[in-house]
Amino acid sequence: MIKTTIFQKIINGEIPCEKLHEDEFCIAFNDIAAQAPVHFLVIPKKPIISLFECTKDDSDLLGHLLFIGSKIAKSKKLKDWRTVINTGEESGQTVFHLHIHFLSGRKMNWPPG
Ligand code: AMP
């Protein structure tokens, strides 16, 4: 069972966020510490810790998260963006509730840090 994370509190409405989208399966909101002019997160309502814990049953949900994020990006008239999913502490994951970062509005570097 996933521990109560800050994102679970956002899903529960216990703490506020700058919400961009909500449906039955996910919520999208602006990152509180934006790393680019546009930086938002798409998270499933299902309490999944990370991609590591996903199963085949989550395939549609994962596609939905990407689709919704892209829809939001396009609604912001963006053409270029980077998506990031950190999986595990060493990758940089700090909130242990699956989330996809969407970053845009500046030139991105490669390789990522
Ligand atoms: P990660 O390091 O991949 O686990 O990303 C977690 C992200 O969540 C970071 O970019 C944080 O800035 C962001 N974050 C943490 N708390 C909040 C919050 N209350 N509202 C919005 N974003 C948050």
Side-chain angles (χ1 to χ4, degrees):
M1 185 58 184
I2 195 169
K3 267 171 54 187
T4 301
T5 63
I6 196 97
F7 291 173
Q8 189 60 52
K9 289 182 181 166
I10 286 176
I11 292 166
N12 296 347
E14 291 162 21
I15 62 164
C17 69
E18 289 179 20
K19 199 182 291 179
L20 303 172
H21 171 90
E22 178 167 9
D23 62 35
E24 193 183 343
F25 303 107
C26 70
I27 299 187
F29 51 89
N30 286 325
D31 196 294
I32 206 166
Q35 299 301 312
V38 176
H39 184 178
F40 64 88
L41 305 170
V42 185
I43 71 172
K45 288 186 173 174
K46 181 177 175 183
I48 302 172
I49 295 171
S50 77
L51 270 186
F52 187 89
E53 282 73 23
C54 288
T55 69
K56 193 165 191 322
D57 289 346
D58 298 314
S59 300
D60 287 352
L61 176 62
L62 290 170
H64 183 70
L65 301 178
L66 282 170
F67 176 73
I68 291 297
S70 299
K71 200 171 149 188
I72 294 167
K74 286 196 261 184
S75 77
K76 292 176 176 290
K77 309 286 181 216
L78 301 174
K79 289 188 185 147
D80 304 89
W81 60 81
R82 178 170 289 177
T83 47
V84 174
I85 306 175
N86 293 322
T87 303
E89 264 176 50
E90 201 157 322
S91 78
Q93 187 175 5
T94 57
V95 179
F96 291 89
H97 182 120
L98 178 67
H99 51 283
I100 306 178
H101 295 259
F102 282 76
L103 300 123
S104 186
R106 67 168 169 82
K107 179 92 173 74
M108 299 290 160
N109 299 315
W110 195 264

